[in-house]
Amino acid sequence: RRLCVATGATALVRLGAPTPDEMGHCDHVYQKEVGGKPITVFAQGEGSKTSKLSTIVLRASTSSVLADLERAIDDGVHAARTSCKNGKLVPGAGATEMELSLKIGAFADTCPGLDQYAIRAFGKALEVVPKTLAENAGLDQGAVIAALVAAHASGKACAGVDIDAMGIDGATGVCDETKVYDLYQSKASAFRLAIDAALTVLRVDQIIMSKQAGGGGGGGGMPGM
């Protein structure tokens, strides 16, 4: 399948000679060694529009480093593919999560009854993203979250965690306008999965609570002989 994509050929499920339209084309086919292992290279010329396939060869000293590089390449390729489908961006560095946390908390204040506690807890859980960013940057989590809350409450919706503030005297670890952006599609998918997980846990709790307590039926005497 990958060879067909590289050469522009059509994979056949029948026996017999292919038609001219089903046959592929390749400008250069040669063999070379990469890391002591011989590989066959199918390369198209610069002006060829036959192939839309590219191969990235990764080499590392250990398998763990190679696995990290492979994950980084996968993340980059998927991010590029997602951006081609939907190019919308949202502020990163924890700015989106903090703004949603404040909005959800404000909405919880308008809800009567016990529902407001669950809504407020969901909004509070979104603060884990800026907290984690602050912790990984070596910043004070409490000070960063307090500064973010104050910034977003004053209308700075794009305020995020500033990892470059580490070690600077008097720095709050917050930038008013973050230069980091995340894909809207990835962020929306993460929120959707988080909501589904929370609803699933709540449904399980309702099933357990609605089950009647106690054992089986009433007791009886000795069976008749």
Side-chain angles (χ1 to χ4, degrees):
R1 185 169 58 248
R2 293 174 62 87
L3 187 59
C4 290
V5 175
T7 59
T10 301
L12 301 179
V13 295
R14 71 176 191 275
L15 297 177
T19 64
D21 295 335
E22 294 171 341
M23 296 182 64
H25 170 77
C26 189
D27 293 335
H28 307 284
V29 180
Y30 57 94
Q31 192 177 61
K32 64 180 296 186
E33 284 192 6
V34 177
K37 183 177 181 180
I39 61 173
T40 302
V41 180
F42 291 81
Q44 300 287 8
E46 295 182 358
S48 177
K49 298 182 180 180
T50 304
S51 177
K52 297 181 179 179
L53 185 69
S54 297
T55 301
I56 301 176
V57 180
L58 300 177
R59 299 179 63 184
S61 57
T62 60
S63 58
S64 59
V65 175
L66 186 62
D68 292 339
L69 292 175
E70 186 175 356
R71 282 194 295 268
I73 293 294
D74 287 339
D75 293 341
V77 171
H78 289 310
R81 184 178 63 178
T82 304
S83 63
C84 291
K85 294 180 179 179
N86 189 347
K88 295 181 179 179
L89 300 175
V90 294
T96 301
E97 287 80 7
M98 182 57 64
E99 183 69 16
L100 288 176
S101 178
L102 294 181
K103 296 294 184 182
I104 293 175
F107 173 73
D109 296 336
T110 63
C111 298
L114 297 177
D115 292 343
Q116 61 176 303
Y117 294 101
I119 298 173
R120 187 175 290 109
F122 184 86
K124 193 72 174 177
L126 295 178
E127 295 181 0
V128 69
V129 175
K131 282 183 180 179
T132 304
L133 292 175
E135 181 182 4
N136 292 340
L139 303 174
D140 186 359
Q141 298 183 21
V144 170
I145 295 300
L148 276 178
V149 171
H152 283 265
S154 62
K156 300 176 181 178
C158 295
V161 179
D162 184 12
I163 63 174
D164 294 332
M166 181 175 57
I168 301 178
D169 296 335
T172 60
V174 174
C175 54
D176 295 338
E177 191 75 22
T178 180
K179 297 181 181 179
V180 180
Y181 296 94
D182 295 330
L183 290 171
Y184 166 79
Q185 193 70 22
S186 301
K187 195 73 70 175
S189 178
F191 286 145
R192 192 180 302 110
L193 292 175
I195 294 172
D196 291 342
L199 292 178
T200 301
V201 173
L202 292 175
R203 292 192 188 100
V204 172
D205 290 344
Q206 290 176 358
I207 294 173
I208 295 175
M209 293 174 62
S210 62
K211 183 179 180 181
Q212 292 184 353
M222 294 293 292
M225 298 298 292

